[in-house]
Amino acid sequence: MIRDSIRATTKEVRNFGLLFSGICGILLLYFLYADGELSVWLMGAAGMFLAGGLFLHRLLRPVYILWMKFAQLLAWINTRIILGIAYYLIITPIGLVLRLLGKDLIGKKIDRNAVSYWKRRDEVPFDPERYERLF
């Protein structure tokens, strides 16, 4: 589920610090505009992330690793939710409608009178050019 080793290079930690510093700065400006007050907590967080991104990579690295583990956990959960929703809201109704209409899109029905289920293909003369670009 969650990988044990997370790559935490200096560049990635720097980008993380600068990104979170920018997010804290945007939130700070929003709250300043909405409430008319400066948030000391957001200023401190923005300053710490900025300092960590620019100078103190080693101090910011554990925060980055913790954040990436949290992101992996969210990705694992969201994948199951999204795939479950897609399956039960898209694929299952389509399958039920096709079954009600009696459609057999992949030829799964058993034909007791059939000698073979092999499908004949038209003979095509050999041309080496056809094997160069198969798509």
Side-chain angles (χ1 to χ4, degrees):
M1 178 170 83
I2 296 177
R3 290 189 341 215
D4 290 333
S5 63
I6 294 176
R7 247 183 42 205
T9 63
T10 303
K11 181 179 178 181
E12 290 171 340
V13 174
R14 178 183 299 129
N15 289 339
F16 171 74
L18 295 176
L19 176 70
F20 270 67
S21 175
I23 291 171
C24 289
I26 290 170
L27 287 174
L28 184 66
L29 291 175
Y30 172 75
F31 288 129
L32 179 64
Y33 175 76
D35 297 337
E37 295 180 13
L38 281 174
S39 172
V40 178
W41 292 101
L42 277 175
M43 282 191 338
M48 287 177 27
F49 280 117
L50 183 63
L54 293 177
F55 310 113
L56 307 169
H57 307 294
R58 289 187 181 156
L59 294 177
L60 193 57
R61 190 175 312 259
V63 177
Y64 172 77
I65 290 171
L66 186 66
W67 184 260
M68 287 296 114
K69 287 185 179 185
F70 176 67
Q72 287 177 349
L73 176 67
L74 284 181
W76 186 86
I77 292 169
N78 285 338
T79 300
R80 272 96 188 135
I81 291 172
I82 291 169
L83 288 176
I85 289 171
Y87 182 79
Y88 287 111
L89 295 181
I90 297 171
I91 296 172
T92 301
I94 291 171
L96 290 174
V97 168
L98 289 175
R99 189 171 286 185
L100 286 173
L101 295 175
K103 300 286 183 184
D104 184 23
L105 300 180
I106 60 173
K108 235 172 60 171
K109 289 183 180 174
I110 296 175
D111 183 7
R112 305 250 183 238
N113 298 326
V115 176
S116 172
Y117 284 103
W118 285 85
K119 297 189 188 262
R120 289 263 177 217
R121 293 187 64 197
D122 296 332
E123 288 283 330
V124 178
F126 177 74
D127 182 17
E129 293 290 322
R130 287 183 60 225
Y131 296 98
E132 292 292 322
R133 299 186 62 119
L134 298 177
F135 48 91

